[in-house]
Amino acid sequence: MNAADRDLRQLDPVSVLNAKTTLVQLLGRAGVYSGDAEELIALVEAGALAEARRKTAPVPEGAPPGKGELYAAGWGDGARAVVHGLDEIAERVLREAVGDHGPREPEEPEERYRVGRMDVERVKVAVTRLHLSFADDSELDPEVSEQVLVAVLRTMGARNRAGYPGRLTRFTDLHRARLERMFARYGPGSPIAIHGRYTLLHSPTCVAVLERLTVTPEELRGEWDAGELPPAWLDGLTAAWEAAG
């Protein structure tokens, strides 16, 4: 295969841009703002680069046998340079995707803490899937669910929001048996009514709220109060979690 044939097998920059533009336009017809669509695409790009880096990481130690020490040393140096380059590109693309400019500072303006529409939508997808592994449905009002998720997301910076679905999945896998006991006693299908201190267990948002309660309880309570959400919901979820332990 010559160089021209190889080039034909790769996506050139114009074709990649065309695919992105097509996707943005299609999502726009479905009511997704172009900025939100571009953010989602950028996160997928950052993830693809990170995955490429993970798959490339073993290459420095994989020099073909029988080539001699100098060849192996050159192979390792070159491969490590490629891995390092992928690291830097993946980091840059992720920062651009989420607008991450470093650690959260208390003296920075309120806009620094803004929770965007796509932040909420991404975590909605994550918690709905996880909640359905314990319950058949959700009865909490959608508008209230968004308010709950905004309070949750305001406890973390842009970088952590981007990786929050993975964190929630790990939390759920780690505590699955305890979560199953909690939902069986207090969740949908249990004798406990939806209205009251155990209301959150009838909503997918409870998975995210519980994760935050175990990691940053004080910060969550501060955002909860700022959002004027019912304190009894947090107290009830805490009680249910402790009882299922």
Side-chain angles (χ1 to χ4, degrees), residues 83-131:
V83 172
H84 180 69
L86 281 172
D87 256 342
E88 291 186 335
I89 297 170
E91 172 70 15
R92 174 174 54 79
V93 172
L94 179 57
R95 283 185 176 276
E96 291 173 355
V98 301
D100 181 17
H101 305 292
R104 174 172 165 170
E105 298 294 340
E107 66 271 15
E108 290 181 341
E110 181 67 17
E111 179 65 18
R112 180 69 180 80
Y113 310 134
R114 186 183 68 85
V115 175
R117 176 187 172 191
M118 284 300 106
D119 292 323
V120 175
E121 293 298 328
R122 290 199 309 271
V123 77
K124 269 187 189 178
V125 171
V127 296
T128 298
R129 175 181 60 82
L130 294 171
H131 188 259

Side-chain angles (χ1 to χ4, degrees), residues 103-236:
R104 174 172 165 170
E105 298 294 340
E107 66 271 15
E108 290 181 341
E110 181 67 17
E111 179 65 18
R112 180 69 180 80
Y113 310 134
R114 186 183 68 85
V115 175
R117 176 187 172 191
M118 284 300 106
D119 292 323
V120 175
E121 293 298 328
R122 290 199 309 271
V123 77
K124 269 187 189 178
V125 171
V127 296
T128 298
R129 175 181 60 82
L130 294 171
H131 188 259
L132 286 174
S133 67
F134 301 104
D136 293 332
D137 56 18
S138 168
E139 299 182 54
L140 195 62
D141 181 85
E143 184 176 346
V144 175
S145 294
E146 291 205 2
Q147 293 171 355
V148 170
L149 291 178
V150 167
V152 166
L153 290 168
R154 283 174 63 89
T155 67
M156 64 191 87
R159 174 67 65 89
N160 286 332
R161 290 175 194 167
Y164 195 46
R167 179 189 289 270
L168 284 172
T169 299
R170 292 189 294 273
F171 172 82
T172 303
D173 290 343
L174 180 63
H175 300 289
R176 180 162 295 276
R178 186 174 181 180
L179 286 164
E180 287 174 347
R181 291 193 296 272
M182 184 183 69
F183 276 98
R185 295 178 190 176
Y186 304 99
S190 73
I192 303 296
I194 178 174
H195 300 294
R197 66 197 308 241
Y198 300 113
T199 294
L200 275 183
L201 275 86
H202 294 258
S203 165
T205 61
C206 73
V207 180
V209 175
L210 189 56
E211 188 275 337
R212 292 286 87 188
L213 275 174
T214 63
V215 177
T216 58
E218 294 306 316
E219 193 167 3
L220 175 65
R221 290 183 184 278
E223 297 295 348
W224 199 267
D225 291 343
E228 299 182 345
L229 291 161
W233 289 1
L234 281 187
D235 296 338

